[in-house]
Amino acid sequence: MADSDFPGWHGTTIIGVKKDGHVVIAGDGQVSLGQTVIKGTARKVRRLSPGGFEIVAGFAGSTADAFTLLERLEAKLEATPGQLARASVELAKDWRTDKYLQKLEAMLIVTDGRDLLVITGAGDVLEPEHNVAAIGSGGNFALAAARAMMDSDKSAEDIARQSMAIAADICVYTNGNLTVETISG
């Protein structure tokens, strides 16, 4: 099968919601190849503890690429303990300039409970507006749903869960098998 004929891996929605001193990152479990669901229970949200500091990370894109990035982020965090923003910028710089890393196809949402950041292969480290970040196939659906709920009395976890449910109802590459991690700032 030629590369141009390969249908490609699709699927994931990751959302990060920061509200009332809590940050929640939630991700669905679907991995699709073309029009086929390959796995519905993948775990794309992880808790890390580099240097003794708690970090929660969610990834969208190629799983192998995301694990490579998570390993690199852990190394950066071990070199700069407790400095998520600095480690994220260092990772983004490497990602942008290293020829091996440039080929990686993934995005990350990371938090230490204080900062909520999106890290991209374009060298971006973004702190989202409105304390909501979303990536992946259903990211825009989840983002819109969460933004609509941010002024409500709902907790960060309730917003994340309901936003993911809405995304799963709309995006065929997103399912309702959630992994949810909460961290306080």
Side-chain angles (χ1 to χ4, degrees), residues 73-143:
L73 178 61
E74 279 187 293
K76 298 292 183 190
L77 285 163
E78 286 171 0
T80 59
Q83 298 180 53
L84 178 62
R86 181 175 176 191
S88 297
V89 168
E90 291 299 318
L91 174 64
K93 284 196 301 192
D94 287 355
W95 195 353
R96 179 109 172 121
T97 58
D98 184 290
K99 291 197 184 295
Y100 168 73
L101 293 178
Q102 285 176 358
K103 296 179 184 351
L104 300 182
E105 296 180 5
M107 293 179 72
L108 302 173
I109 294 180
V110 297
T111 185
D112 58 2
R114 293 181 310 274
D115 294 322
L116 176 64
L117 304 170
V118 177
I119 308 171
T120 75
D124 297 317
V125 177
L126 306 169
E127 187 172 9
E129 293 181 333
H130 311 289
N131 293 320
V132 179
I135 57 176
S137 303
N140 288 336
F141 304 119
L143 178 68

